[in-house]
């Protein structure tokens, strides 16, 4: 227990760092995922191509490599930002590809006839997507979106290797101070468990409230 009590502030900073990364990257992933899903079902071929390439590249690129590309590559092009911002960009963009596919699978569950009926009434593609298709698709994609955000929270541990304050990185400090490595990782694991269970509880609530009845 002294491993936690003696280093509560260190654990606290790491825990809050992971929470911040998770929240900001999740918001970015949801926005980009929605945008790319819209591109992938858009009637404009160039939009569909862009969405397809975005998903194909990010889903098939190791996240660690993406961190290197963002945190070490972008500054070479004159874009200098705090490492935490770069970490959010890497996590958010990577997860957006999976969010996009989850949303697209939900869109495909909506009968095509509804979209055709909306267009016959004079609704634009954007109006049809936002008012007819997405509200129905949202109900079926709550579980997979939640799973992707839980994965994002765990993937945020990679940011510690790039000088970003997060939960897993606290083991380096505690190891140097001579604390038991086993108990150090037990308290780190408990911190991640709190974060992931919170996300799971939020999406369980959303699923019970708006999910599709099975």
């Amino acid at each position: 227990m002294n491993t936690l009590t003696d280093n509560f502030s260190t654990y606290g900073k790491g825990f809050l760092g992971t929470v911040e990364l998770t929240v900001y990257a999740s918001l970015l992933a949801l926005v980009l995922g929605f945008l790319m899903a819209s591109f992938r079902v858009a009637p404009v071929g160039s939009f569909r191509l862009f969405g397809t390439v975005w998903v194909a590249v990010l889903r098939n690129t190791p996240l660690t490599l993406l961190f290197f590309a963002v945190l070490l590559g972008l500054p070479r092009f004159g874009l200098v930002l705090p490492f935490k911002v770069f970490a959010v960009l890497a996590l958010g963009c990577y997860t957006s590809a999976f969010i996009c596919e989850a949303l697209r699978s939900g869109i495909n569950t909506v009968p095509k006839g509804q979209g055709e009926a909306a267009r016959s009434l004079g609704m634009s593609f954007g109006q049809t997507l936002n008012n007819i298709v997405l509200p129905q698709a949202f109900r079926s994609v709550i579980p997979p979106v939640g799973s992707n955000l839980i994965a994002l929270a765990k993937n945020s541990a990679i940011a510690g290797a790039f000088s970003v304050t997060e939960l897993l990185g606290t083991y380096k400090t505690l190891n140097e101070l001579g604390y038991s490595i086993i108990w150090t990782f037990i308290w780190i694991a408990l911190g991640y468990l709190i974060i992931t269970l919170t996300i799971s509880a939020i999406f369980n609530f959303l699923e019970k409230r708006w999910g599709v009845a099975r």
Side-chain angles (χ1 to χ4, degrees), residues 126-148:
Q127 290 173 326
T128 301
L129 191 66
N130 292 325
N131 299 323
I132 305 298
V133 178
L134 284 179
Q136 298 180 71
F138 169 76
R139 301 174 63 206
S140 63
V141 302
I142 293 173
V145 168
S147 296
N148 284 319

Side-chain angles (χ1 to χ4, degrees), residues 67-79:
F67 264 86
F68 275 109
V70 172
L71 275 79
L72 303 180
L74 292 182
R76 293 179 177 271
F77 295 94
L79 185 59

Side-chain angles (χ1 to χ4, degrees), residues 3-205:
T3 303
L4 177 65
T5 55
D6 293 349
N7 303 280
F8 193 78
S9 62
T10 302
Y11 274 114
K13 290 178 182 178
F15 181 82
L16 290 177
T18 295
V19 170
E20 287 182 359
L21 284 174
T22 301
V23 171
Y24 293 138
S26 295
L27 292 175
L28 179 61
L30 290 171
V31 171
L32 289 177
F34 166 77
L35 184 62
M36 292 303 138
S38 301
F39 280 7
R40 295 212 64 185
V41 298
V44 182
S46 58
F47 284 180
R48 291 198 303 272
L49 177 62
F50 184 86
T52 300
V53 171
W54 178 276
V55 170
V57 170
L58 291 176
R59 288 184 72 190
N60 294 287
T61 300
L63 181 55
T64 305
L65 180 60
L66 185 59
F67 264 86
F68 275 109
V70 172
L71 275 79
L72 303 180
L74 292 182
R76 293 179 177 271
F77 295 94
L79 185 59
V80 180
L81 296 169
F83 271 19
K84 180 172 285 188
V85 176
F86 282 135
V88 168
L89 288 174
L91 283 168
C93 290
Y94 178 79
T95 308
S96 71
F98 297 90
I99 298 290
C100 168
E101 289 302 274
L103 290 174
R104 190 170 70 92
S105 67
I107 290 172
N108 289 336
T109 64
V110 179
K112 293 182 178 180
Q114 296 195 27
E116 294 171 354
R119 287 191 293 273
S120 70
L121 294 174
M123 298 178 69
S124 65
F125 169 75
Q127 290 173 326
T128 301
L129 191 66
N130 292 325
N131 299 323
I132 305 298
V133 178
L134 284 179
Q136 298 180 71
F138 169 76
R139 301 174 63 206
S140 63
V141 302
I142 293 173
V145 168
S147 296
N148 284 319
L149 296 187
I150 288 173
L152 183 154
K154 293 183 288 186
N155 288 337
S156 67
I158 297 176
F162 297 90
S163 302
V164 178
T165 301
E166 51 78 43
L167 188 56
L168 182 61
T170 59
Y171 89 89
K172 299 176 184 177
T173 302
L174 301 187
N175 188 44
E176 292 173 357
L177 294 174
Y179 286 93
S180 169
I181 194 68
I182 296 176
W183 281 105
T184 296
F185 278 111
I186 287 176
W187 292 118
I188 289 174
L190 182 60
Y192 279 107
L193 189 62
I194 291 172
I195 294 172
T196 54
L197 287 179
T198 300
I199 298 173
S200 179
I202 291 171
F203 278 86
N204 283 338
F205 170 78

